[in-house]
Amino acid sequence: MAHIFALPCHYILVKLTLKTIWPTQAHRRHLMNTSNILVVEDNKINQLIAEDMLKKSGFQITIVDNGQQAIDIIKQKQFDLVLMDIQMPVMDGETATRLLKNDPDYKHIPIVAMTANVMKHEIENYLNIGFSAFIGKPFILEDILKVINNTLNN
């Protein structure tokens, strides 16, 4: 009999765990259909990958090439979340994030660092600068969706 009850209990635990990580399908659809995301990335291939993943997931996205362009467009348009590359020409992601977080009009916007630099001390540095979270490169759809969901719900 122990074997009969082990499977249902395991299934229930998995089901509860998944619900705590990701909201219901209806809530997920609402988040995606109403969330306006700014992608700040200088690499054209990464832009295409991010655009494809996010649009197919139902997000409204805008893409710019560097931190200065991000600051300029944030002053013109409202965004629910920013995905910010770290190393870019003109203005890097760290500088742009510091400027946005020091401006009372924009400090509420969650900014997620997109970087291949995911060593513990680097992640701590990003969070201290004011990033809300980080996502490692190369991009994995499930990871991006999880970080976006967690960030938008906090």
PDB file of all heavy atoms in Angstrom, residues 10-24:
ATOM      1  N   HIS A  10       3.661  12.430  -4.087  1.00  0.00           N
ATOM      2  CA  HIS A  10       4.724  13.068  -4.862  1.00  0.00           C
ATOM      3  C   HIS A  10       4.114  14.013  -5.906  1.00  0.00           C
ATOM      4  O   HIS A  10       4.570  15.128  -6.093  1.00  0.00           O
ATOM      5  CB  HIS A  10       5.579  11.998  -5.544  1.00  0.00           C
ATOM      6  CG  HIS A  10       6.672  12.568  -6.391  1.00  0.00           C
ATOM      7  ND1 HIS A  10       7.748  13.214  -5.844  1.00  0.00           N
ATOM      8  CD2 HIS A  10       6.845  12.604  -7.733  1.00  0.00           C
ATOM      9  CE1 HIS A  10       8.544  13.627  -6.820  1.00  0.00           C
ATOM     10  NE2 HIS A  10       8.017  13.260  -7.971  1.00  0.00           N
ATOM     11  N   TYR A  11       3.058  13.570  -6.565  1.00  0.00           N
ATOM     12  CA  TYR A  11       2.388  14.390  -7.576  1.00  0.00           C
ATOM     13  C   TYR A  11       1.844  15.673  -6.956  1.00  0.00           C
ATOM     14  O   TYR A  11       2.001  16.747  -7.495  1.00  0.00           O
ATOM     15  CB  TYR A  11       1.253  13.592  -8.227  1.00  0.00           C
ATOM     16  CG  TYR A  11       0.456  14.421  -9.204  1.00  0.00           C
ATOM     17  CD1 TYR A  11       0.963  14.748 -10.453  1.00  0.00           C
ATOM     18  CD2 TYR A  11      -0.791  14.911  -8.849  1.00  0.00           C
ATOM     19  CE1 TYR A  11       0.242  15.516 -11.338  1.00  0.00           C
ATOM     20  CE2 TYR A  11      -1.517  15.683  -9.718  1.00  0.00           C
ATOM     21  CZ  TYR A  11      -1.003  15.982 -10.963  1.00  0.00           C
ATOM     22  OH  TYR A  11      -1.725  16.759 -11.819  1.00  0.00           O
ATOM     23  N   ILE A  12       1.249  15.568  -5.801  1.00  0.00           N
ATOM     24  CA  ILE A  12       0.689  16.748  -5.138  1.00  0.00           C
ATOM     25  C   ILE A  12       1.807  17.722  -4.780  1.00  0.00           C
ATOM     26  O   ILE A  12       1.701  18.918  -5.003  1.00  0.00           O
ATOM     27  CB  ILE A  12      -0.116  16.343  -3.886  1.00  0.00           C
ATOM     28  CG1 ILE A  12      -1.404  15.626  -4.320  1.00  0.00           C
ATOM     29  CG2 ILE A  12      -0.446  17.558  -3.033  1.00  0.00           C
ATOM     30  CD1 ILE A  12      -2.139  14.950  -3.195  1.00  0.00           C
ATOM     31  N   LEU A  13       2.915  17.216  -4.259  1.00  0.00           N
ATOM     32  CA  LEU A  13       4.026  18.106  -3.902  1.00  0.00           C
ATOM     33  C   LEU A  13       4.574  18.814  -5.133  1.00  0.00           C
ATOM     34  O   LEU A  13       4.843  20.002  -5.094  1.00  0.00           O
ATOM     35  CB  LEU A  13       5.139  17.310  -3.218  1.00  0.00           C
ATOM     36  CG  LEU A  13       4.840  16.826  -1.811  1.00  0.00           C
ATOM     37  CD1 LEU A  13       5.967  15.935  -1.313  1.00  0.00           C
ATOM     38  CD2 LEU A  13       4.634  17.997  -0.868  1.00  0.00           C
ATOM     39  N   VAL A  14       4.742  18.096  -6.222  1.00  0.00           N
ATOM     40  CA  VAL A  14       5.228  18.710  -7.447  1.00  0.00           C
ATOM     41  C   VAL A  14       4.251  19.760  -7.929  1.00  0.00           C
ATOM     42  O   VAL A  14       4.631  20.863  -8.291  1.00  0.00           O
ATOM     43  CB  VAL A  14       5.470  17.633  -8.540  1.00  0.00           C
ATOM     44  CG1 VAL A  14       5.731  18.279  -9.879  1.00  0.00           C
ATOM     45  CG2 VAL A  14       6.632  16.744  -8.135  1.00  0.00           C
ATOM     46  N   LYS A  15       2.974  19.449  -7.895  1.00  0.00           N
ATOM     47  CA  LYS A  15       1.966  20.395  -8.357  1.00  0.00           C
ATOM     48  C   LYS A  15       1.979  21.670  -7.502  1.00  0.00           C
ATOM     49  O   LYS A  15       1.952  22.770  -8.018  1.00  0.00           O
ATOM     50  CB  LYS A  15       0.589  19.737  -8.322  1.00  0.00           C
ATOM     51  CG  LYS A  15      -0.482  20.539  -8.978  1.00  0.00           C
ATOM     52  CD  LYS A  15      -1.762  19.752  -9.080  1.00  0.00           C
ATOM     53  CE  LYS A  15      -2.809  20.569  -9.812  1.00  0.00           C
ATOM     54  NZ  LYS A  15      -4.038  19.835  -9.959  1.00  0.00           N
ATOM     55  N   LEU A  16       2.092  21.531  -6.192  1.00  0.00           N
ATOM     56  CA  LEU A  16       2.130  22.701  -5.311  1.00  0.00           C
ATOM     57  C   LEU A  16       3.395  23.518  -5.554  1.00  0.00           C
ATOM     58  O   LEU A  16       3.350  24.740  -5.588  1.00  0.00           O
ATOM     59  CB  LEU A  16       2.057  22.263  -3.851  1.00  0.00           C
ATOM     60  CG  LEU A  16       0.729  21.705  -3.387  1.00  0.00           C
ATOM     61  CD1 LEU A  16       0.847  21.161  -1.969  1.00  0.00           C
ATOM     62  CD2 LEU A  16      -0.362  22.756  -3.469  1.00  0.00           C
ATOM     63  N   THR A  17       4.529  22.857  -5.738  1.00  0.00           N
ATOM     64  CA  THR A  17       5.781  23.556  -5.994  1.00  0.00           C
ATOM     65  C   THR A  17       5.698  24.356  -7.287  1.00  0.00           C
ATOM     66  O   THR A  17       6.098  25.517  -7.334  1.00  0.00           O
ATOM     67  CB  THR A  17       6.947  22.553  -6.062  1.00  0.00           C
ATOM     68  OG1 THR A  17       6.969  21.827  -4.845  1.00  0.00           O
ATOM     69  CG2 THR A  17       8.254  23.269  -6.255  1.00  0.00           C
ATOM     70  N   LEU A  18       5.156  23.784  -8.341  1.00  0.00           N
ATOM     71  CA  LEU A  18       5.045  24.498  -9.607  1.00  0.00           C
ATOM     72  C   LEU A  18       4.139  25.716  -9.474  1.00  0.00           C
ATOM     73  O   LEU A  18       4.423  26.762 -10.032  1.00  0.00           O
ATOM     74  CB  LEU A  18       4.519  23.569 -10.696  1.00  0.00           C
ATOM     75  CG  LEU A  18       5.503  22.511 -11.182  1.00  0.00           C
ATOM     76  CD1 LEU A  18       4.815  21.554 -12.144  1.00  0.00           C
ATOM     77  CD2 LEU A  18       6.709  23.135 -11.827  1.00  0.00           C
ATOM     78  N   LYS A  19       3.079  25.603  -8.713  1.00  0.00           N
ATOM     79  CA  LYS A  19       2.182  26.745  -8.548  1.00  0.00           C
ATOM     80  C   LYS A  19       2.858  27.883  -7.805  1.00  0.00           C
ATOM     81  O   LYS A  19       2.581  29.039  -8.063  1.00  0.00           O
ATOM     82  CB  LYS A  19       0.907  26.320  -7.820  1.00  0.00           C
ATOM     83  CG  LYS A  19      -0.059  25.605  -8.716  1.00  0.00           C
ATOM     84  CD  LYS A  19      -1.377  25.433  -8.020  1.00  0.00           C
ATOM     85  CE  LYS A  19      -2.396  24.952  -9.027  1.00  0.00           C
ATOM     86  NZ  LYS A  19      -3.735  25.047  -8.531  1.00  0.00           N
ATOM     87  N   THR A  20       3.760  27.587  -6.879  1.00  0.00           N
ATOM     88  CA  THR A  20       4.426  28.665  -6.160  1.00  0.00           C
ATOM     89  C   THR A  20       5.480  29.351  -7.025  1.00  0.00           C
ATOM     90  O   THR A  20       5.792  30.503  -6.817  1.00  0.00           O
ATOM     91  CB  THR A  20       5.090  28.149  -4.864  1.00  0.00           C
ATOM     92  OG1 THR A  20       6.051  27.168  -5.200  1.00  0.00           O
ATOM     93  CG2 THR A  20       4.054  27.578  -3.909  1.00  0.00           C
ATOM     94  N   ILE A  21       6.025  28.628  -8.001  1.00  0.00           N
ATOM     95  CA  ILE A  21       7.019  29.227  -8.887  1.00  0.00           C
ATOM     96  C   ILE A  21       6.350  30.032 -10.000  1.00  0.00           C
ATOM     97  O   ILE A  21       6.808  31.090 -10.368  1.00  0.00           O
ATOM     98  CB  ILE A  21       7.898  28.119  -9.516  1.00  0.00           C
ATOM     99  CG1 ILE A  21       8.718  27.455  -8.422  1.00  0.00           C
ATOM    100  CG2 ILE A  21       8.799  28.667 -10.600  1.00  0.00           C
ATOM    101  CD1 ILE A  21       9.469  26.232  -8.895  1.00  0.00           C
ATOM    102  N   TRP A  22       5.265  29.573 -10.531  1.00  0.00           N
ATOM    103  CA  TRP A  22       4.638  30.158 -11.706  1.00  0.00           C
ATOM    104  C   TRP A  22       3.146  30.296 -11.454  1.00  0.00           C
ATOM    105  O   TRP A  22       2.514  29.379 -10.962  1.00  0.00           O
ATOM    106  CB  TRP A  22       4.927  29.251 -12.896  1.00  0.00           C
ATOM    107  CG  TRP A  22       4.662  29.874 -14.221  1.00  0.00           C
ATOM    108  CD1 TRP A  22       3.722  29.486 -15.118  1.00  0.00           C
ATOM    109  CD2 TRP A  22       5.315  30.982 -14.812  1.00  0.00           C
ATOM    110  NE1 TRP A  22       3.763  30.270 -16.225  1.00  0.00           N
ATOM    111  CE2 TRP A  22       4.730  31.207 -16.063  1.00  0.00           C
ATOM    112  CE3 TRP A  22       6.337  31.830 -14.398  1.00  0.00           C
ATOM    113  CZ2 TRP A  22       5.126  32.241 -16.906  1.00  0.00           C
ATOM    114  CZ3 TRP A  22       6.729  32.846 -15.244  1.00  0.00           C
ATOM    115  CH2 TRP A  22       6.131  33.033 -16.478  1.00  0.00           C
ATOM    116  N   PRO A  23       2.535  31.429 -11.774  1.00  0.00           N
ATOM    117  CA  PRO A  23       1.114  31.615 -11.494  1.00  0.00           C
ATOM    118  C   PRO A  23       0.226  30.779 -12.414  1.00  0.00           C
ATOM    119  O   PRO A  23       0.711  30.095 -13.309  1.00  0.00           O
ATOM    120  CB  PRO A  23       0.912  33.109 -11.775  1.00  0.00           C
ATOM    121  CG  PRO A  23       1.967  33.437 -12.770  1.00  0.00           C
ATOM    122  CD  PRO A  23       3.140  32.547 -12.439  1.00  0.00           C
ATOM    123  N   THR A  24      -1.054  30.876 -12.188  1.00  0.00           N
ATOM    124  CA  THR A  24      -1.996  30.141 -13.025  1.00  0.00           C
ATOM    125  C   THR A  24      -1.871  30.590 -14.471  1.00  0.00           C
ATOM    126  O   THR A  24      -1.345  31.663 -14.760  1.00  0.00           O
ATOM    127  CB  THR A  24      -3.441  30.394 -12.562  1.00  0.00           C
ATOM    128  OG1 THR A  24      -3.731  31.780 -12.767  1.00  0.00           O
ATOM    129  CG2 THR A  24      -3.643  30.007 -11.111  1.00  0.00           C
TER     130      THR A  24
END
